[in-house]
Amino acid sequence: MERRDFFKKAAVVAGAAAVGSSTLEAGTTGQPVDNRKVSMVTFPEKRPLIMYSDRPPLLETPREVFTSVLTPNDQFFVRWHMPDIPTYIDPDTFTISVNGLVEKELKISLNDLKTKFEQVEVTAVLQCGGNSRSAFKPIAGGIQWGSGAMGCATWKGVRLRDILDHAGLKKDAKWIGFNGSEKAAYYETPEFIRELELTELDDNVILAYEMSGEDLPYLNGYPLRLVLPGYYSDSWVKMLSNITVTNKYKKLFFMDVAYRVPDNETESETPEKKFPKTKPIKKMNVKSIIGYPENGDKLSLKSHTVVRGVAFDDGHGIKEVLVSTDAGKTWEKALLDDGKLGRYAYRAFRFSFKPNTLGKVTIMAKAINKIGEEQPLSKDILWNHGGYKYNGIDEVTVEVI
Ligand SMILES: Nc1nc2c(c(=O)[nH]1)N[C@H]1C(S)=C(S)[C@@H](COP(=O)(O)O)O[C@H]1N2
Ligand SMILES: [Mo]
């Protein structure tokens, strides 16, 4: 794959803009907006995605993709914080450094990663903590994502634990810092670094070079990224350059300012009242998204229709998904797939029905996990300044003709 001048190849799909704009009225219901087909742009290695910015690339997956457990790599969403992403990485000379409080500092090549350590795989959902942010009313600061800042892939790589064991942690090691390779455009902007406490590490945390059987797409962090199943993806550092072990937590912008929610889960913040105590967003809450049908679709009266979508949580596992075809008055169980890809993967669901009233019909989906947590109604979601962790019951409104 030629990865030189990577970003010069992005192309707008002419004519796609504004198609389906009749579906854009959402925003009064507390549901995330459906931005599909408003500004669809094709980046290298990607099919057309909903674009919020081209520098840095911010691309959202359209709703229709959320009917299957694995999100195709070329439709997987993209989020970068800094515009200055390296335009070329040579897989033959690339190394990941491990330094700080270790017995021996390491520089490991891609080839060594793939041949000298045990290779492991985990299927896991990667979701931005700001996914569905556009549902928050009044507007919460940040990219106004619809529901497509998420995806699920099978990640292949090596356990972070094995790499740290190989380097040998010193006794007082406590924190592991991860650096991305991109640079800030202005010197005041902090670099993208995250820290993980050693106690948060388990065998599912991997350094991945492969995504669903292929090299990581460039925009999803080629050649190597951190995979932290169950956690929001702000911690899944992409295009890793080095890992530094320390004994002291270093104050970092992307951990101490961004990606935090109030440390108070019973009251709502307001634009005027910000709660002083916050905590990192960390683990994902239970959520489901309807992939078919979509807002504005037309269904035929009395014809067999299969509602399809995906559900997930932070790894407790999905117990059931309930679907309503009468705007929430009655609920019935959807069929779940076999769950073979494990507790961090999407569970695909399907629900058959025959619409029997003409006009607008609202279809809703609610996931419940194995510890009894369920999605709240969107109107019951606590508002927070960053617009994080929205997981309201999903709904689409179609027309029966
Ligand atoms: N190096 C680096 N890693 C990063 C980020 C970034 O800006 N730089 N953003 C994080 C955030 S907030 C998200 S939502 C995910 C997005 O991953 P994706 O682009 O592969 O979908 O990457 C995470 N890892
Ligand atoms: Mo994010």
Side-chain angles (χ1 to χ4, degrees), residues 251-324:
K251 228 173 147 26
L252 295 167
F253 175 80
F254 288 107
M255 293 202 52
D256 293 293
V257 183
Y259 297 106
R260 294 181 77 90
V261 282
D263 193 10
N264 172 342
E265 312 236 11
T266 53
E267 269 180 83
S268 216
E269 281 190 305
T270 66
E272 296 75 38
K273 186 169 148 232
K274 212 171 179 167
F275 293 144
K277 270 190 82 181
T278 60
K279 59 181 180 188
I281 56 177
K282 293 204 175 169
K283 297 228 176 152
M284 298 192 288
N285 50 24
V286 62
K287 189 163 181 171
S288 66
I289 294 294
I290 299 166
Y292 178 83
E294 298 187 56
N295 280 311
D297 279 358
K298 298 205 180 356
L299 305 181
S300 306
L301 188 69
K302 300 209 162 71
S303 70
H304 182 229
T305 301
V306 184
V307 178
R308 294 191 293 156
V310 294
F312 63 99
D313 73 344
D314 62 353
H316 288 98
I318 294 301
K319 182 167 147 246
E320 61 188 16
V321 174
L322 303 178
V323 171
S324 170

Side-chain angles (χ1 to χ4, degrees), residues 199-219:
T199 53
E200 293 176 278
L201 242 188
D202 67 22
D203 279 353
N204 293 309
V205 179
I206 67 173
L207 303 180
Y209 52 79
E210 221 177 83
M211 190 170 162
S212 302
E214 295 167 359
D215 284 353
L216 290 177
Y218 206 82
L219 291 170

Side-chain angles (χ1 to χ4, degrees), residues 4 24 105 107 110 133 155 166 257 319 330 364:
R4 245 172 247 279
L24 281 180
E105 299 207 338
K107 272 190 186 298
L110 265 187
R133 180 180 285 123
W155 310 91
H166 188 60
V257 183
K319 182 167 147 246
T330 59
M364 301 166 89

Side-chain angles (χ1 to χ4, degrees), residues 76-82 126-129 145 149 155 179-182 192 211 219-221 225 233-240 254 259:
F76 213 98
F77 88 102
V78 172
R79 201 272 187 258
W80 288 90
H81 289 75
M82 257 70 81
L126 185 162
Q127 180 189 208
C128 179
W145 296 112
W155 310 91
N179 277 60
S181 307
E182 76 274 30
F192 198 87
M211 190 170 162
L219 291 170
N220 297 107
R225 86 178 299 167
S233 52
D234 47 298
S235 306
W236 297 41
V237 180
K238 301 196 278 190
M239 219 171 251
L240 268 177
F254 288 107
Y259 297 106

